Amino acid sequence: YNWVMSTLLPRLLPAVAAAFAGCGLAPPESRALRLHDARLVRYAAAEGRVELGCHRDGTILTVNIALNALSEYEGGGTRFEALSASASTSATSTS
């Protein structure tokens, strides 16, 4: 909890606010964003764990962070059922 609050969120929330700046909506101020829920999922293809399964997050914004380099796996992404569309992975740095 301490690491999330002191290290992750001060870097993550400004990046989330910036990501939504060009989409035609009023960009959220990073200080107004809050962490609603956090989930860490480990996928292991050799063990058959290759997806989280269909679910609803129940929030306005959802952020997925790949902890591995894109070269270390194939696939990935998030499907948005209501849009009948998927968002694939891309490399973005917050450093």
Side-chain angles (χ1 to χ4, degrees):
Y1 176 81
N2 289 336
W3 179 84
V4 169
M5 298 304 288
S6 66
T7 305
L8 178 63
L9 292 184
R11 294 179 68 192
L12 177 63
L13 297 181
V16 170
F20 286 89
C23 68
L25 302 173
E29 294 287 335
S30 62
R31 65 181 172 273
L33 296 173
R34 300 287 181 264
L35 178 65
H36 173 72
D37 191 13
R39 181 184 304 187
L40 180 64
V41 178
R42 180 178 182 263
Y43 300 104
E47 299 168 20
R49 294 186 309 219
V50 296
E51 65 182 16
L52 184 56
C54 187
H55 67 280
R56 293 194 174 137
D57 291 341
T59 59
I60 295 171
L61 301 174
T62 296
V63 176
N64 295 300
I65 303 170
L67 300 178
N68 293 69
L70 293 176
S71 61
E72 294 182 25
Y73 61 93
E74 294 179 15
T78 301
R79 174 143 181 86
F80 296 93
E81 182 182 32
L83 301 176
S84 297
S86 296
S88 61
T89 57
S90 64
T92 304
S93 174
T94 62
S95 57

